[in-house]
Amino acid sequence: MAGIADHYDDPIHIAVIGGTGLASLADFTHVANVKPSTPWGVPSSPIAVLHHPSPSTGKSIPIAFLSRHGLHHELAPHEVPSRANIAALRSIGVRTIIAFSAVGSLQEDIKPRDFVVPDQIIDRTKGVRPFTFFEGGMVGHVGFADPFDGDVGKVVRKCGHSLEGEGVRLHDSGTVVCMEGPQFSTRAESKLYRSWGGAVINMSALPEAKLAKEAEIAYQMICMSTDYDCWHESGDVTVEMVMGNMKANAENARRFVGAVLDELSKEEHSDLVLAKHLESQTKFAGSITAPAGRSAEAKSKLQWLFPGYFD
Ligand SMILES: CSC[C@H]1O[C@H](OP(=O)(O)O)[C@H](O)[C@@H]1O
Ligand SMILES: Nc1ncnc2[nH]cnc12
């Protein structure tokens, strides 16, 4: 692409992971495309570096944008290289991720096109997706009680509420059920998830959120409801339904993400976006394997991801 660099030298602290129907962000200046290669492979798409003027200083803040399913939605949920995505983002300096997801609603009150900022996850993936950086000779156990970052979540909720009345309807909390897919749920499963208190359902929250937690990245998902899955009498979910609602509300989704980026780019949030509150957690969580038991391969991969942690 003319005028777009293939490298970017300054660290980038904030990233957006775009999902179904959100493959780019308008209204930002696209300055570079970077393609970091990681010990876990290459990310889903080139990482676009976008310039965004900080509302408090007017200075340009770089934002990384990664398309979860690839530039043309060619990766199924179980094919998304989440380890490479998270490792690549961390390697360019990212410590805060706003992840966007199209979801089915499991509750009457969460209508198609409503937004939900979830606070919990139920894991219904089937173990076929690589879900940890700690394996093959180095064991690590990070806490995952709160899969989303409370402080980033507060900022996201405030921004969402500021757009209410302009077409945005926001639910402040909810449990996202992450299923394996790619087929949608059976009616019995959908009803079961409702009985468990699930608010919305997708195929993408995991292992992304687990890997972000291991990588000491403050991670918050923004969900946009696109359908009532198959429990509701209004009709079963289809891809047309999902894409139709995504398209119809894409402008609101972009405005929501834009408002969050405006807010996070303010000087007052500089420690938050660097996730200072998470720093070094994984150093301790990942030091359970005694040095004599650490395999050279596992160690070198983790040294790549966490320079200085496991020397
Ligand atoms: C096209 S419907 C199923 C698909 O949509 C969601 O994608 P994303 O979370 O990346 O927005 C869901 O998780 C499935 O991958
Ligand atoms: N009903 C549904 N189930 C799983 N993922 C989805 N993404 C959007 N709608 C969905």
Side-chain angles (χ1 to χ4, degrees):
M1 232 183 286
I4 306 280
D6 60 4
H7 62 94
Y8 192 83
D9 296 332
D10 292 332
I12 305 167
H13 302 312
I14 306 173
V16 174
I17 299 183
T20 296
L22 196 79
S24 64
L25 280 184
D27 305 329
F28 294 82
T29 312
H30 188 175
V31 293
N33 277 327
V34 295
K35 297 179 188 171
S37 167
T38 81
W40 296 274
V42 291
S44 300
S45 72
I47 298 172
V49 184
L50 311 171
H51 269 183
H52 181 60
S54 159
S56 54
T57 64
K59 253 179 31 196
S60 265
I61 301 272
I63 306 286
F65 183 88
L66 174 62
S67 190
R68 183 184 288 124
H69 299 283
L71 289 181
H72 312 283
H73 205 124
E74 64 273 24
L75 299 167
H78 64 284
E79 294 172 327
V80 173
S82 293
R83 288 193 297 192
N85 288 351
I86 298 295
L89 290 174
R90 184 176 162 101
S91 77
I92 61 171
V94 169
R95 297 293 182 273
T96 292
I97 292 178
I98 303 299
F100 201 86
S101 177
V103 298
S105 167
L106 297 170
Q107 291 179 11
E108 185 79 53
D109 185 45
I110 301 174
K111 299 183 177 26
R113 306 188 192 177
D114 283 6
F115 292 90
V116 180
V117 181
D119 58 346
Q120 278 298 325
I121 305 179
I122 292 176
D123 188 356
R124 286 283 298 164
T125 63
K126 305 289 182 184
V128 298
R129 310 173 184 193
F131 47 79
T132 181
F133 293 113
F134 290 89
E135 60 179 10
M138 279 195 59
V139 177
H141 300 284
V142 302
F144 198 55
D146 291 305
F148 300 110
D149 190 81
D151 296 331
V152 174
K154 254 188 224 156
V155 171
V156 170
R157 291 180 182 97
K158 191 174 142 205
C159 292
H161 285 303
S162 75
L163 297 174
E164 270 172 340
E166 297 175 50
V168 169
R169 237 174 75 99
L170 178 69
H171 303 263
D172 266 337
S173 61
T175 296
V176 48
V177 176
C178 182
M179 62 174 295
E180 184 54 53
Q183 302 82 2
F184 292 115
S185 306
T186 66
R187 219 175 305 286
E189 286 164 343
S190 195
K191 288 179 178 169
L192 179 69
Y193 303 149
R194 274 167 57 69
S195 78
W196 287 350
V200 291
I201 183 162
N202 74 4
M203 306 175 190
S204 312
L206 297 173
E208 208 170 81
K210 287 186 175 178
L211 294 164
K213 188 70 94 178
E214 286 188 348
E216 296 176 349
I217 293 174
Y219 177 92
Q220 178 64 59
M221 185 163 256
I222 298 177
C223 297
M224 198 195 97
S225 162
T226 52
D227 53 86
Y228 274 123
D229 202 36
C230 61
W231 62 272
H232 197 268
E233 67 275 5
S234 60
D236 301 349
V237 53
T238 63
V239 167
E240 290 87 326
M241 206 182 266
V242 171
M243 298 313 279
N245 279 317
M246 240 351 275
K247 200 168 166 205
N249 217 24
E251 199 39 47
N252 279 332
R254 289 206 177 87
R255 283 196 312 135
F256 192 168
V257 173
V260 171
L261 295 177
D262 274 351
E263 184 63 28
L264 288 176
S265 303
K266 290 183 181 164
E267 201 73 26
E268 67 196 82
H269 296 304
S270 55
D271 277 357
L272 172 62
V273 298
L274 280 171
K276 296 266 188 207
H277 55 300
L278 305 180
E279 232 169 64
S280 294
Q281 284 186 1
T282 296
K283 183 172 175 150
F284 303 108
S287 295
I288 191 168
T289 306
R294 296 177 180 179
S295 81
E297 193 193 343
K299 196 169 136 179
S300 97
K301 284 174 151 180
L302 288 167
Q303 280 170 329
W304 184 94
L305 188 58
F306 303 106
Y309 273 21
F310 303 113
D311 294 341

